[in-house]
């Protein structure tokens, strides 16, 4: 840290992304990426012709991509905001809709970035405890008079709230924004995008990183009322108007044309997830009933941290969180069937070793 850094940033607890060690080839089941490649249409669009135009700025309005997304969801382009990964929308939303006065609430076990943005933007936020079974208690979010941020399905638990429950939260906080982060919704969760037609305080945030196999391209979008999208644009045009690069824009457009491919990848991941749940049960693991492309699981034989370490020694990466509330668990991303079978074979070996 230099002596020049402004004091308020010196104590920031920054977000720690999932590790990407380069010392060997790992089976990477730690950052909820898709194991399937982008569609052929996307590969074709990132052509040398597109690359040759990199001397020109991209379209700051992302018009074509907005049009495609608007058609896909049957909204107007004025209801769509495009961002550099959905992290950027979260960042812009904390900037635009949360403050010391307005405050924010979100679950104490959820996507770690909410807290980081809360600290970064000096938000008076409150982390609401999950129930014992790791579900969200919606009573904690009714009439709170603060900005509400909920991942649905939640991460790393994988558990969903119903659309009815989300609607209750939205109705009971008419003076505040309710942000629903649907990063994982394409794997069987309950999307509340349709509620955006009825409520102008609801912002639904989506990403290309999970169900559209494009984590490396950095692309996210939000669907909300015209006014909320205008608010996000005020922040975008005050920070980085060209927030989406040309190649990512082209890839994002092509991916919508190939929507069927991505939906069939999601179906495949759901099948492998259900297979994996059964395998985990057979190995004596307990897990939460995930609606996502990951499973949050714990073994009665080996602690979370030790299991994570032993898997890593054997070339498999999963995510372990040190927070005492969830330190018994690991979060396992659903990979291909072959990757999951490797995980289960190695797990069997590890469990035998520790039982000796
Ligand atoms: N929300 C949730 C719940 C996530 O788990 C993630 C991925 N780490 C994100 C948002 C951000 O995803 P991205 O910036 O890649 O779109």
């Amino acid at each position: 840290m230099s002596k020049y850094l402004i004091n308020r940033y010196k104590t920031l607890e920054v977000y720690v992304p999932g590790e990407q060690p380069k010392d060997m080839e790992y089976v990477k089941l730690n950052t909820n990426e898709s194991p399937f490649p982008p569609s052929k249409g996307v590969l074709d669009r990132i052509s040398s012709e597109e690359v040759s135009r990199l001397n020109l700025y991209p379209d700051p309005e992302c018009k074509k991509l907005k049009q495609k997304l608007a058609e896909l969801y049957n909204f107007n382009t004025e209801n769509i905001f495009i961002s550099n990964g959905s992290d950027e929308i979260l960042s812009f939303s904390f900037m635009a809709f949360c403050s010391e006065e307005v405050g924010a609430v979100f679950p104490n076990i959820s996507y770690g970035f909410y807290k980081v943005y809360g600290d970064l933007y000096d938000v008076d936020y409150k982390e609401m405890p999950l129930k014992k079974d790791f579900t969200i208690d919606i009573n904690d979010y009714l009439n709170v008079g603060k900005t509400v941020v909920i991942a649905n399905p939640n991460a790393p638990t994988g558990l969903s709230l119903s659309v009815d429950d989300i609607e209750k939260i939205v109705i009971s906080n008419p003076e505040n924004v309710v942000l629903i982060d649907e990063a994982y919704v394409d794997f069987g969760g309950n999307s509340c995008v349709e509620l955006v037609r009825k409520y102008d305080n609801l912002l639904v945030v989506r990403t290309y990183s999970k169900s559209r196999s494009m984590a490396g391209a950095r692309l996210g979008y939000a669907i909300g009322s015209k006014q909320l999208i205008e608010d996000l644009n005020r922040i975008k045009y005050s920070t980085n108007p060209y927030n989406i690069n040309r190649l990512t824009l082209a890839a994002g457009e092509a991916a919508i044309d190939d929507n069927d491919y991505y939906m069939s990848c999601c179906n495949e991941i759901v099948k492998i997830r259900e297979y994996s749940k059964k395998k985990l049960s057979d190995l004596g693991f307990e897990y939460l009933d995930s609606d996502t492309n990951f499973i949050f699981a714990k073994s009665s034989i080996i602690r979370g941290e030790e299991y994570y370490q032993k898997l890593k020694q054997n070339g498999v990466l999963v995510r372990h969180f040190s927070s005492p509330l969830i330190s018994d668990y690991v979060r396992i991303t659903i990979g291909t069937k072959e990757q999951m079978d490797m995980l289960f074979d190695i797990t069997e070996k590890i469990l035998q070793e520790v039982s000796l």
Side-chain angles (χ1 to χ4, degrees):
M1 205 179 305
S2 84
K3 65 181 181 186
Y4 308 107
L5 184 67
I6 305 301
N7 271 339
R8 58 183 289 256
Y9 299 127
K10 286 186 178 155
T11 52
L12 262 189
E13 264 188 59
V14 301
Y15 179 73
V16 183
E19 63 189 324
Q20 302 204 18
K22 301 287 179 243
D23 56 327
M24 60 180 270
E25 275 278 313
Y26 287 93
V27 175
K28 209 169 163 300
L29 305 176
N30 68 331
T31 46
N32 297 344
E33 292 142 322
S34 172
F36 301 119
S39 62
K40 175 154 186 325
V42 167
L43 302 182
D44 291 346
R45 273 299 297 280
I46 310 289
S47 57
S48 52
E49 200 188 327
E50 198 63 51
V51 173
S52 75
R53 283 193 282 266
L54 282 178
N55 55 317
L56 303 173
Y57 282 111
D59 171 15
E61 290 182 52
C62 311
K63 270 203 207 100
K64 268 197 209 150
L65 178 55
K66 272 191 200 163
Q67 220 129 30
K68 285 192 185 288
L69 286 165
E71 269 169 39
L72 184 66
Y73 293 104
N74 200 17
F75 275 90
N76 294 321
T77 51
E78 63 192 23
N79 298 114
I80 314 271
F81 183 80
I82 313 278
S83 70
N84 190 317
S86 60
D87 280 339
E88 191 178 55
I89 302 177
L90 298 173
S91 170
F92 286 2
S93 298
F94 270 82
M95 232 190 279
F97 308 123
C98 309
S99 67
E100 220 177 326
E101 293 76 39
V102 176
V105 284
F106 43 83
N108 65 340
I109 298 170
S110 193
Y111 183 34
F113 232 138
Y114 304 153
K115 192 171 161 356
V116 176
Y117 289 133
D119 289 332
L120 179 63
Y121 300 127
D122 263 342
V123 177
D124 180 18
Y125 63 83
K126 210 168 158 198
E127 295 175 274
M128 313 308 279
L130 294 183
K131 291 198 252 181
K132 272 224 166 74
D133 62 358
F134 290 104
T135 56
I136 288 173
D137 185 346
I138 72 149
N139 294 310
D140 289 341
Y141 301 87
L142 299 178
N143 306 301
V144 279
K146 297 172 197 278
T147 299
V148 175
V149 181
I150 293 178
N152 194 42
N154 196 12
T157 63
L159 301 174
S160 297
L161 283 177
S162 68
V163 174
D164 282 353
D165 280 347
I166 300 280
E167 187 166 16
K168 283 181 199 151
I169 294 170
V170 174
I171 291 174
S172 78
N173 292 288
E175 299 305 318
N176 290 92
V177 170
V178 175
L179 185 157
I180 302 297
D181 179 348
E182 294 192 348
Y184 299 103
V185 80
D186 288 329
F187 303 101
N190 310 307
S191 175
C192 62
V193 160
E194 288 305 310
L195 296 181
V196 169
R197 299 182 205 283
K198 284 209 266 177
Y199 304 103
D200 63 8
N201 61 328
L202 171 63
L203 188 72
V204 177
V205 178
R206 294 279 194 107
T207 178
Y208 275 65
S209 295
K210 321 291 175 185
S211 56
R212 288 198 160 76
S213 300
M214 273 174 53
R218 313 305 301 129
L219 191 58
Y221 54 100
I223 303 176
S225 63
K226 178 171 178 273
Q227 292 80 5
L228 287 187
I229 301 304
E230 278 171 7
D231 297 343
L232 291 175
N233 273 318
R234 287 182 75 79
I235 306 286
K236 159 172 158 149
Y237 283 97
S238 307
T239 48
N240 184 10
Y242 303 109
N243 58 340
I244 318 295
N245 73 70
R246 270 181 176 277
L247 301 181
T248 293
L249 267 183
E253 290 157 22
I256 299 301
D257 294 338
D258 288 342
N259 202 40
D260 290 349
Y261 165 79
Y262 292 102
M263 292 307 111
S264 74
C265 288
C266 288
N267 285 338
E268 187 61 25
I269 288 168
V270 168
K271 271 192 217 153
I272 302 170
R273 178 187 74 207
E274 296 309 306
Y275 162 79
S276 301
K277 284 179 183 171
K278 167 135 197 344
K279 288 293 249 182
L280 284 169
S281 289
D282 293 347
L283 289 164
F285 279 73
E286 276 177 40
Y287 53 82
L288 305 186
D289 196 17
S290 165
D291 283 331
T292 62
N293 67 336
F294 57 83
I295 300 178
F296 201 48
K298 72 168 179 180
S299 160
S300 54
I301 299 173
I302 185 167
R303 303 277 314 276
E305 159 97 42
E306 194 188 351
Y307 178 47
Y308 150 77
Q309 290 290 0
K310 287 198 183 291
L311 282 176
K312 188 172 172 184
Q313 285 157 16
N314 283 280
V316 178
L317 293 176
V318 297
R319 190 93 195 246
H320 176 257
F321 299 91
S322 56
S323 157
L325 293 169
I326 51 174
S327 59
D328 285 348
Y329 285 78
V330 295
R331 189 195 68 191
I332 304 166
T333 301
I334 304 301
T336 59
K337 169 113 180 345
E338 293 68 36
Q339 288 177 317
M340 300 314 283
D341 281 336
M342 269 181 76
L343 168 84
F344 299 131
D345 288 348
I346 292 167
T347 299
E348 209 170 335
K349 207 178 80 186
I350 292 172
L351 294 180
Q352 271 164 12
E353 273 167 21
V354 295
S355 308
L356 287 179

